[in-house]
């Protein structure tokens, strides 16, 4: 079997501010990540992940904690220097860990030199690097678009008497990718990092880098139930997202990445499976290597059922063109922790185990968010300690970004961390010593997966005849075959497996270490990974 790291490996997302602080300023940094690499891979004692994706590490005023980039070709001083990044790449590679950077092409910081120049005068050579427009005759913004974090997507510039577009914060002006000089400059950013040894890019807001050239008004969102959520859902993003010719830009990004061997891209896109797979390039699969598959992230509370999850997996598998490789996400830095999202009855910890079993045994690349391997939950943060500006317009994302929990007293920093710790009863040190812990369970899954051709490359098929509330699927590669069984119901269930599926061994289980048997007796929210004969 030919092993491709981004297909067969597990990608672990690190939020750099929150992983490890090395210099006692309470904020995580690259040297801190280096100190913790042994935790991630390099020996059989490690977690066993194959790549790390770092949320943005570039110089930034941190209006959106790094998603406002002031220089694409450097490292934020608080995180380290280019030399620290070089060392991180080298030390990671030594341990068999690839390094993926977060590329933020849709917008820069308003403090990026490009924008400073662009805004300096209407005649500036970089004026057209951003999206400037005259007001409507009565002075209002050029169209009705609203920013993702609330308010109009246009900001008035007094000096040059025009509006500029910002799909996110006012401090995040949208770049004009329709200008070939901009596209060239962005491609050169990718080359800059690949030359330094970066293995891939997670591409932020991939689906918005070009918009309707006529900037037409978006239609209103007819679904009223969105009313309580972020303002941005109040309109359909018909003209500022997934614009038809975006694939031309995506394909050219792919071509640049293909100039270097063994590199990858994963883009942030939303919507239906059909829309997601479009970004892989459709039948020609010459677009992104992976396009984030978020449907499992957008499931919470009581909606987390066997039927819904099975349907979502089927839909995505069915939509993928031949040659495109799936991926699965259950958590990231923008959504409630998986161990909190499904806590309507206080049983989220059990559901988080099921989610891990699902994530690590489905066909496709798993993305694992730091701390989810411990079962970290959202952290309740007192009002005065909240940081995320997005909270003013919808939900703030601080609760899922709190410091990694290494020891019973934290272990993230010798100073007070930039965000408070969550519940420290969940921490690496204690969970390592406990064979029933979430960490032990996930390590077992990760290492089982690494050694199993069925799990790495096997075909996926769900089992038709299972009791309500149960979702079960096989992964088959030649004679190697596994069966994942998940009881999404809180009540116990018992059933016999067909004789064609002969259970040979229990590879992992959410509860204890049940012996192999054809009759499955599962308690509520129990899941197992079985080796078939
Ligand atoms: O997120 C894009 C995005 O659409 C988010 O607004 C997301 O819907 C929201 O955070 C959910 O709460 C990306 C990054 O993942 C996010 O962290 C950045 O803030 C955003 O882009 C701007 O760069
Ligand atoms: Ca620090």
């Amino acid at each position: 079997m030919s092993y491709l790291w981004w297909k067969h490996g597990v990608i672990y997302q690190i939020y750099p501010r929150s992983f490890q602080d090395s210099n006692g300023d309470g904020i995580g940094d690259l040297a801190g990540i280096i100190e913790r690499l042994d935790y991630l891979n390099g020996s059989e004692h490690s977690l066993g992940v194959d790549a790390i994706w770092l949320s943005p590490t570039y110089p930034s005023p941190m209006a959106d904690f790094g998603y406002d980039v002031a220089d694409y070709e450097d490292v934020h001083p608080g995180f380290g220097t280019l030399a620290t990044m070089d060392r991180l790449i080298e030390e990671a590679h030594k341990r068999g860990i690839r390094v993926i950077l977060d590329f933020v092409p849709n917008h820069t910081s308003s403090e990026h030199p490009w924008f400073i120049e662009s805004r300096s005068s209407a005649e500036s050579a970089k004026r057209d690097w951003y999206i400037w427009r005259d007001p409507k005759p009565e002075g209002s913004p050029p169209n009705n678009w609203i920013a993702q974090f609330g308010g109009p997507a246009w900001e008035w510039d007094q000096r040059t008497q025009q509006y500029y577009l910002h799909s996110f914060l006012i401090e995040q002006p949208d770049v004009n990718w329709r200008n070939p000089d901009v596209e060239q400059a962005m491609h050169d950013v990718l080359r800059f990092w690949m030359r330094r040894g970066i293995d891939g890019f997670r591409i932020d807001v991939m689906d918005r880098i070009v918009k309707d050239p006529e900037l037409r008004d978006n239609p209103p969102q007819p679904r009223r139930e969105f009313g309580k959520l972020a303002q941005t859902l109040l309109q359909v993003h018909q003209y500022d997202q997934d614009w038809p010719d975006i694939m031309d830009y995506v394909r050219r990004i792919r071509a640049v990445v293909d100039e270097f061997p063994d590199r990858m891209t994963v883009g942030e896109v939303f919507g239906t499976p059909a829309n997601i797979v479009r970004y892989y390039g459709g039948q020609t699969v010459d677009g992104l290597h992976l396009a984030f598959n978020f449907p499992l992230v957008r499931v919470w509370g009581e909606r987390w059922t066997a039927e819904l999850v099975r349907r979502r997996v089927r839909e995505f598998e069915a939509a993928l063109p031949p040659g495109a490789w799936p991926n699965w996400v259950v958590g990231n830095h923008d959504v409630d922790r998986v161990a909190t999202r499904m806590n309507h009855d206080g049983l989220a910890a059990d559901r988080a185990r099921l989610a891990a079993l699902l994530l690590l045994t489905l066909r496709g690349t798993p993305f694992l968010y730091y701390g989810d391997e411990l079962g970290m939950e959202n952290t309740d943060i007192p009002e005065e300690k909240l940081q995320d500006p997005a909270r003013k317009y919808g939900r703030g994302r601080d609760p899922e970004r709190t410091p990694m929990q290494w020891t019973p007293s934290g272990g993230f920093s010798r100073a007070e961390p930039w965000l408070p710790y969550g519940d420290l009863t969940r921490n690496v040190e204690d969970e390592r010593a406990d064979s029933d812990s979430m960490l032990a369970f996930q390590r077992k899954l990760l290492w089982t997966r690494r050694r199993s051709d069925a799990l790495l490359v096997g075909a996926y098929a769900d089992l038709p005849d299972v009791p309500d509330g149960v979702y079960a699927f096989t992964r088959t590669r030649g004679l190697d075959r596994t069966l994942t069984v998940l009881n999404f119901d809180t009540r116990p269930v018992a059933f016999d497996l067909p004789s064609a599926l002969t259970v040979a061994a229990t590879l992992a289980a959410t509860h204890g270490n049940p012996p192999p048997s054809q009759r499955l007796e599962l308690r509520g929210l129990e899941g197992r990974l079985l080796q078939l004969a």
Side-chain angles (χ1 to χ4, degrees):
M1 183 195 107
S2 75
Y3 174 91
L4 253 184
W5 68 272
W6 57 268
K7 275 189 173 179
H8 308 125
V10 174
I11 301 177
Y12 184 90
Q13 179 186 356
I14 290 180
Y15 198 69
R17 292 180 76 82
S18 294
F19 202 59
Q20 180 63 50
D21 171 26
S22 71
N23 62 351
D25 64 358
I27 298 173
D29 44 57
L30 299 188
I33 296 173
I34 297 171
E35 284 171 22
R36 294 295 188 182
L37 286 173
D38 286 336
Y39 168 73
L40 297 172
N41 208 337
S43 78
E44 72 270 29
H45 307 292
S46 63
L47 189 57
V49 297
D50 303 82
I52 48 177
W53 144 34
L54 311 177
S55 280
T57 45
Y58 316 96
S60 167
M62 297 286 165
D64 189 19
F65 295 105
Y67 285 94
D68 47 326
V69 177
D71 180 354
Y72 288 102
E73 299 187 352
D74 207 343
V75 169
H76 185 66
F79 288 157
T81 63
L82 278 174
T84 335
M85 182 63 89
D86 290 342
R87 196 157 63 82
L88 170 57
I89 296 168
E90 192 189 325
E91 291 295 327
H93 286 174
K94 262 193 226 164
R95 292 166 176 80
I97 303 170
R98 310 283 177 139
V99 183
I100 298 171
L101 290 190
D102 209 316
F103 179 49
V104 189
N106 178 71
H107 42 265
T108 67
S109 160
S110 50
E111 292 179 29
H112 194 295
W114 297 345
F115 188 71
I116 294 173
E117 189 180 337
S118 183
R119 122 185 270 180
S120 67
S121 122
E123 281 72 48
S124 137
K126 289 214 165 48
R127 187 65 169 180
D128 184 50
W129 281 43
Y130 293 82
I131 301 173
W132 293 96
R133 287 294 182 281
D134 289 333
K136 285 188 172 166
E138 76 285 5
S140 61
N143 68 21
N144 75 346
W145 295 358
I146 43 188
Q148 185 75 18
F149 296 139
W154 296 93
E155 180 68 6
W156 177 245
D157 183 59
Q158 191 58 33
R159 178 142 53 130
T160 58
Q161 297 284 300
Q162 280 191 313
Y163 283 97
Y164 69 84
L165 179 68
H166 61 91
S167 297
F168 293 85
L169 297 173
I170 289 167
E171 297 89 342
Q172 293 169 300
D174 282 40
V175 159
N176 178 20
W177 270 75
R178 294 192 184 276
N179 179 325
D181 295 339
V182 170
E183 187 172 19
Q184 184 64 46
M186 290 293 193
H187 288 173
D188 286 342
V189 169
L190 299 174
R191 294 189 182 99
F192 173 88
W193 289 109
M194 288 189 286
R195 273 187 218 111
R196 293 196 102 90
I198 286 297
D199 299 288
F201 301 96
R202 177 268 186 188
I203 307 181
D204 189 62
V205 195
M206 181 75 267
D207 55 0
R208 290 201 190 202
I209 62 169
V210 291
K211 291 92 177 163
D212 173 24
E214 293 174 44
L215 304 177
R216 278 167 282 190
D217 276 356
N218 279 328
Q221 171 60 261
R223 293 175 58 186
R224 294 304 305 164
E225 75 265 31
F226 284 151
K228 274 193 288 186
L229 295 176
Q231 282 195 42
T232 176
L233 294 173
L234 296 175
Q235 55 183 223
V236 180
H237 291 276
Q238 186 172 336
Y239 293 105
D240 61 353
Q241 198 170 9
D242 302 313
W243 188 251
D245 73 349
I246 200 162
M247 280 313 299
D248 299 342
Y249 295 81
V250 171
R251 288 196 171 92
R252 291 196 290 268
I253 288 176
R254 170 64 183 256
V256 170
V257 172
D258 281 349
E259 291 169 13
F260 295 75
D262 217 17
R263 311 299 158 104
M264 68 82 82
T265 51
V266 53
E268 189 191 30
V269 306
F270 297 95
T272 60
N275 190 56
I276 295 169
V277 304
R278 214 159 62 85
Y279 285 86
Y280 283 85
Q283 296 299 322
T284 48
V285 281
D286 53 356
L288 301 174
H289 298 75
L290 302 173
F292 272 135
N293 180 21
F294 288 141
L296 297 184
V297 164
R298 284 162 202 272
V299 178
W300 54 88
E302 288 153 21
R303 303 182 64 229
W304 177 251
T305 62
E307 290 67 30
L308 182 76
V309 172
R310 174 169 46 225
R311 175 148 47 82
R312 296 236 158 135
V313 174
R314 261 188 205 164
E315 285 167 352
F316 191 66
E317 280 278 354
L320 269 180
W325 184 250
N327 72 89
W328 300 98
V329 186
V330 298
N332 67 27
H333 64 297
D334 289 333
V335 295
D336 287 322
R337 287 271 178 188
V338 60
T340 299
R341 236 169 33 235
M342 277 107 57
N343 205 23
H344 50 286
D345 54 5
L347 296 173
D350 284 338
R351 288 193 184 87
R353 284 195 184 219
L354 281 186
L357 178 52
L358 181 70
L359 177 72
L360 295 169
T361 63
L362 280 173
R363 189 179 82 101
T365 307
F367 285 86
L368 180 58
Y369 186 50
Y370 85 96
D372 278 357
E373 75 274 26
L374 307 175
M376 270 174 67
E377 298 168 7
N378 275 15
T379 301
D380 273 331
I381 301 172
E383 184 65 35
E384 69 279 7
K385 297 221 160 127
L386 289 172
Q387 310 265 349
D388 182 13
R391 73 184 186 281
K392 294 183 203 111
Y393 309 105
R395 67 171 295 278
R397 297 160 296 178
D398 299 307
E400 63 264 23
R401 297 177 174 179
T402 56
M404 179 67 174
Q405 298 168 185
W406 297 103
T407 66
S409 60
F412 158 76
S413 173
R414 51 181 191 270
E416 188 188 337
W418 74 289
L419 284 175
Y421 286 115
D423 171 6
L424 286 171
T425 58
R426 292 182 180 278
N427 65 77
V428 173
E429 192 178 299
D430 287 344
E431 292 196 33
R432 255 198 186 142
D434 170 6
S435 60
D436 279 333
S437 68
M438 177 67 143
L439 180 61
F441 175 59
Q442 295 223 28
R443 273 198 61 222
K444 188 169 208 180
L445 285 173
L446 281 155
W447 282 94
T448 304
R449 190 179 190 282
R450 290 170 81 83
R451 298 184 184 115
S452 163
D453 278 357
L455 291 175
L456 292 179
V457 294
Y460 164 88
D462 58 49
L463 233 60
D465 296 315
V466 290
D468 282 354
V470 172
Y471 168 35
F473 56 88
T474 52
R475 300 285 316 283
T476 309
R477 165 81 171 179
L479 296 175
D480 186 8
R481 194 171 217 204
T482 62
L483 175 69
T484 301
V485 187
L486 307 150
N487 180 16
F488 280 70
D489 210 304
T490 52
R491 288 162 303 193
V493 67
F495 63 105
D496 295 303
L497 286 173
S499 53
L501 303 178
T502 308
V503 178
T506 306
L507 297 174
T510 53
H511 296 74
N513 189 13
S517 115
Q518 281 306 106
R519 181 164 181 77
L520 292 179
E521 294 179 4
L522 305 175
R523 38 184 132 175
L525 301 176
E526 179 175 347
R528 292 183 198 172
L529 173 62
L530 306 169
Q531 180 71 48
L532 300 180

